[in-house]
Amino acid sequence: MDKYDDTPVKIMLYPAILFMVIGMSIGVYLAFNTFIFPDYFSGEYVHFGRVRPVHVGSVAFLWLLSANVGLFYYFVPRLCGVPLWSSKLANFTAIFWWLALIVGNYSFPWGTNFGWEYAELPLWVGWLPIKFITGVAWILVAFNLFMTIANRKYEKMYVSLWYVMGTLIWTTFTYLAGSFAINWVPGGISRVNVSWFYVHNLVGLIYTPMGLATAYYFLPKLANVPIYSHRLSMIGFWSIAFVYAWIGSHHMMHGPISQWLQTTAVVFSIWLFIPVWTVVANLFETVRSHWGKYNQSAPIRFIIMGVIYYLITCIQGPLMAMRNINEITSKTDWIIGHSHISLYGTFTFFAIAGIYQAIPVITKKPLWSNALADWHFTLNLLGSIPFIGALWVGGFLQGMLWATWADGTSYAEFHNNLTILPFLDTVADMRTWWILRGMGGAIVLFGNLLFVFNVFNTIVLKPAQQESEILSAAPAKVIV
């Protein structure tokens, strides 16, 4: 009998990979049907307001959150030297997990969702209490992983376990705030403030520690070298714990919130550079003496490129918190590009790298095609440049147009600017950038279809069939 039961890993990873391409397909549909050829496909159930939450829920929860839970099930037992505390509990939890998220997310076109960003899950769909079931499923996941860590064989905890434990705690109160507490707060700006606490900490206290736990485990495993500095990793962990919860309000700069709260968000946003530089330095130093492996391994390229994107997005964040820059970037497509580079360019890249290492281990077979993995990385990188870059550049120019449009020291000057440059013209001027975004998204989607095809063949084909069908690179070595 094997020491590790990877059935829970499979139950979480395999559907998550499928939902990644479903969610990205919906995203490409929205890019074209909403922004390039508006309402080419029209109807009550296919317009932007009904479909966009389906896209967000598919890629954020059904793909990225679920994949990271599967990867936690994979590497937490291996770092602890013991099997998962209860595989039966994990398999039972998956029933609640997938039932609630699938039913909740794909009920959105029928108007079941709320208007709060990333908190669209309905309280009820028919007789199913969706938010409650989701919360219970998460508590069961957290309990199972905490019990595994508590019963570990190795006394010293590797940095990934610290990030896992942080994720389990922070996700719990972040989910409670965004899904339940927001409805207990009196209306108005106080409720909006809770919403931005949830939205920003969804990235900062859920996906960031999840992604870094993954990167810290899989990069040394893939490169076959130890992490550069455990001390640096601990500085990064505790600074994230101290800093991140305070910066969500920088999305409400110049709004009707207290100046002290805006200033607090600015200060803590600048302090975000501390965990960012520790992570970037630590991961780059890990492979600095083994840089040749970057060219030899697509998963390593995914992690290193994810680290670069992490650096970029975490430079953007503090800059956006500065009042004079926020005047230009706030509410523009710059913000959309900022969110995509973190959830896609960083944490999706980390998760993909982890899956590339985990799949051969849990299937006990080599990856079906290293050449397809190389193409997968290349297409994701090439597609991400016009996709994200167009949103940054176009969004900044959009903000500059708005700044000019709103200029004027008197009502007459202001009205004259409205006449010269109507607001709808500033929207129409974005079309070229939206075309680039749509093209980049299509390239990314095609690359990820190759990823699904590669993983599917790895899972279903026998090694003998694989050896006869792979005509390109040699099979990857399986590293447990």
Side-chain angles (χ1 to χ4, degrees), residues 185-197:
V185 177
I189 198 64
S190 296
R191 186 171 290 184
V192 174
N193 195 20
V194 174
S195 174
W196 277 114
F197 169 86

Side-chain angles (χ1 to χ4, degrees), residues 416-468:
N416 184 58
N417 285 331
L418 294 182
T419 305
I420 296 172
L421 183 64
F423 178 78
L424 284 178
D425 285 357
T426 70
V427 176
D429 287 346
M430 287 295 297
R431 191 169 188 270
T432 301
W433 303 105
W434 288 336
I435 291 173
L436 287 173
R437 189 259 298 270
M439 293 171 58
I443 295 170
V444 168
L445 175 60
F446 180 70
N448 286 323
L449 287 172
L450 297 182
F451 172 57
V452 173
F453 182 71
N454 202 2
V455 170
F456 179 80
N457 283 343
T458 302
I459 295 168
V460 302
L461 295 180
K462 297 179 180 179
Q465 289 177 280
Q466 292 177 323
E467 290 172 7
S468 63

Side-chain angles (χ1 to χ4, degrees), residues 190-479:
S190 296
R191 186 171 290 184
V192 174
N193 195 20
V194 174
S195 174
W196 277 114
F197 169 86
Y198 167 75
V199 169
H200 210 284
N201 287 326
L202 185 83
V203 177
L205 294 181
I206 300 179
Y207 291 117
T208 294
M210 272 188 160
L212 296 183
T214 300
Y216 271 124
Y217 176 81
F218 286 107
L219 182 60
K221 183 67 67 175
L222 290 163
N224 198 27
V225 293
I227 197 70
Y228 172 70
S229 171
H230 180 75
R231 180 175 296 178
L232 268 182
S233 66
M234 286 292 95
I235 294 172
F237 172 80
W238 287 109
S239 55
I240 284 177
F242 176 70
V243 168
Y244 237 118
W246 298 91
I247 64 180
S249 297
H250 75 212
H251 285 280
M252 296 185 291
M253 302 295 293
H254 307 292
I257 65 171
S258 302
Q259 285 295 316
W260 71 263
L261 185 57
Q262 296 185 36
T263 302
T264 300
V266 173
V267 171
F268 278 87
S269 296
I270 298 302
W271 282 352
L272 185 61
F273 281 116
I274 299 172
V276 170
W277 281 107
T278 58
V279 169
V280 172
N282 212 359
L283 293 176
F284 267 102
E285 283 295 321
T286 298
V287 296
R288 184 168 63 93
S289 299
H290 304 81
W291 198 249
K293 295 182 179 181
Y294 178 88
N295 296 323
Q296 301 167 8
S297 170
I300 290 178
R301 292 200 292 277
F302 269 110
I303 291 181
I304 295 302
M305 197 62 222
V307 173
I308 294 173
Y309 276 149
Y310 179 66
L311 174 61
I312 295 172
T313 190
C314 290
I315 291 174
Q316 279 188 309
L319 287 178
M320 288 192 309
M322 307 301 291
R323 285 183 169 89
N324 55 343
I325 297 177
N326 192 277
E327 288 179 1
I328 300 171
T329 61
S330 182
K331 314 302 183 294
T332 69
D333 278 15
W334 169 285
I335 309 299
I336 309 302
H338 176 62
S339 64
H340 276 84
I341 193 176
S342 58
L343 294 181
Y344 155 66
T346 299
F347 302 125
T348 287
F349 275 27
F350 288 168
I352 287 171
I355 291 171
Y356 269 128
Q357 197 276 336
I359 287 293
V361 176
I362 64 178
T363 60
K364 299 179 176 60
K365 293 183 288 186
L367 188 67
W368 184 70
S369 172
N370 288 315
L372 275 185
D374 291 335
W375 273 107
H376 177 213
F377 170 78
T378 301
L379 290 171
N380 266 267
L381 180 59
L382 292 179
S384 67
I385 294 172
F387 171 35
I388 298 173
L391 292 171
W392 290 341
V393 178
F396 194 85
L397 294 177
Q398 186 182 40
M400 293 299 292
L401 286 174
W402 292 355
T404 303
W405 173 69
D407 197 13
T409 58
S410 66
Y411 177 79
E413 292 180 12
F414 181 73
H415 187 270
N416 184 58
N417 285 331
L418 294 182
T419 305
I420 296 172
L421 183 64
F423 178 78
L424 284 178
D425 285 357
T426 70
V427 176
D429 287 346
M430 287 295 297
R431 191 169 188 270
T432 301
W433 303 105
W434 288 336
I435 291 173
L436 287 173
R437 189 259 298 270
M439 293 171 58
I443 295 170
V444 168
L445 175 60
F446 180 70
N448 286 323
L449 287 172
L450 297 182
F451 172 57
V452 173
F453 182 71
N454 202 2
V455 170
F456 179 80
N457 283 343
T458 302
I459 295 168
V460 302
L461 295 180
K462 297 179 180 179
Q465 289 177 280
Q466 292 177 323
E467 290 172 7
S468 63
E469 293 179 17
I470 300 175
L471 302 178
S472 53
K477 180 181 178 182
V478 176
I479 304 175

